[in-house]
Amino acid sequence: MASATGYVNKVGEEVPSTVTDAVLVQSESLEDRPEHPPVRGVDWDNGQPTLDSMMAAFMTTGFQATEVGRAIEEINRMRAWRLSDEPIKESGVGATPDDMKDPEVRKNTKAKIFLR
């Protein structure tokens, strides 16, 4: 049987320590971790927000929204990518084929993103 926790549920039963140990854990400070920006959310005091400003605010709305914001950034990065961003490899494994060395072809070769 679980040890006494001092917590009771709505019907007066003691909550097992296995539950409280899993849920009531000490929080960690995320202040010094750049991958977790401070929570701010949408700036409603700076005029009517635009779709772009609201999407950018996802990065600072909370943990789950931050992950959505990161996904948006990654998709935007993929959409902006061009083959011309990559160096031409002249020889060896993974050498750039001749038809992909043309600067115009490289500029117009983009990533294809399939979303469901």
Side-chain angles (χ1 to χ4, degrees):
M1 179 169 170
S3 62
T5 62
Y7 294 97
V8 293
N9 63 18
K10 290 182 179 180
V11 294
E13 300 168 331
E14 179 142 358
V15 178
S17 63
T18 54
V19 173
T20 58
D21 291 348
V23 177
L24 304 175
V25 296
Q26 183 68 35
S27 296
E28 293 179 36
S29 173
L30 300 177
E31 287 182 13
D32 296 329
R33 297 185 53 193
E35 68 273 17
H36 297 287
V39 174
R40 286 188 299 271
V42 177
D43 183 4
W44 297 100
D45 296 328
N46 197 13
Q48 183 71 25
T50 64
L51 180 59
D52 287 339
S53 69
M54 290 185 76
M55 291 296 104
F58 266 116
M59 289 301 290
T60 59
T61 300
F63 179 76
Q64 289 176 324
T66 298
E67 297 309 311
V68 170
R70 286 184 180 161
I72 290 167
E73 282 184 342
E74 183 64 18
I75 290 168
N76 287 338
R77 188 183 68 77
M78 291 187 301
R79 290 182 66 216
W81 179 88
R82 302 291 182 268
L83 183 57
S84 57
D85 297 340
E86 305 296 327
I88 293 175
K89 186 171 181 189
E90 294 296 339
S91 62
V93 176
T96 304
D98 289 337
D99 62 331
M100 297 305 245
K101 291 180 181 178
D102 180 282
E104 193 65 24
V105 170
R106 296 177 64 74
K107 181 179 83 173
N108 291 314
T109 302
K110 307 172 186 178
K112 288 188 179 180
I113 303 170
F114 299 93
L115 302 174
R116 291 181 160 202

